[in-house]
Amino acid sequence: MTFRSGRSGIYFAVGATQRDRYIRVSLVIQSENAKELFEELHRAKDEVSACVGVPLEWDSLPHAQRSIIHLTLKSVAPMDQSDWVRQHNWLAENLIN
């Protein structure tokens, strides 16, 4: 599922995988200047992580015309309905941040 960021070529994505047991919020930079924007953010990664409050995963995808920054909640079972409220709250909270 994707959400607009308000800036062309940049959007948010949420995803989950039962096999790898995580849910994730990602900032996707997909534009002609994606690499430059990603590198600019990456140079300030300590400040960016401090704003978010946790370390982020930085994936430049060198052979693609996009780059992605992930925030992942690990060790979850996305199909476990008894945990959906917690998982959905985590996703919503981190999309807002």
Side-chain angles (χ1 to χ4, degrees), residues 1-94:
M1 181 177 290
T2 61
F3 302 90
R4 293 180 181 186
S5 72
R7 186 166 173 184
S8 179
I10 300 175
Y11 61 91
F12 295 95
V14 296
T17 173
Q18 182 69 24
R19 186 192 73 200
D20 295 330
R21 300 184 50 80
Y22 69 74
I23 58 175
R24 140 184 305 176
V25 173
S26 303
L27 176 70
V28 182
I29 307 167
Q30 185 168 351
S31 65
E32 290 180 13
N33 62 341
K35 300 304 180 195
E36 292 84 10
L37 288 171
F38 178 84
E39 287 304 319
E40 185 176 332
L41 288 169
H42 192 259
R43 282 191 294 275
K45 72 178 184 176
D46 293 336
E47 293 91 338
V48 173
S49 290
C51 286
V52 175
V54 295
L56 302 170
E57 301 164 49
W58 299 79
D59 194 354
S60 68
L61 300 170
H63 301 292
Q65 196 175 13
R66 68 174 189 219
S67 294
I68 306 173
I69 304 168
H70 302 287
L71 177 57
T72 305
L73 179 62
K74 298 177 181 176
S75 301
V76 299
M79 298 301 289
D80 179 3
Q81 292 184 16
S82 68
D83 194 35
W84 279 2
V85 170
R86 181 179 74 93
Q87 292 177 32
H88 294 172
N89 286 339
W90 184 89
L91 289 168
E93 185 176 306
N94 287 289

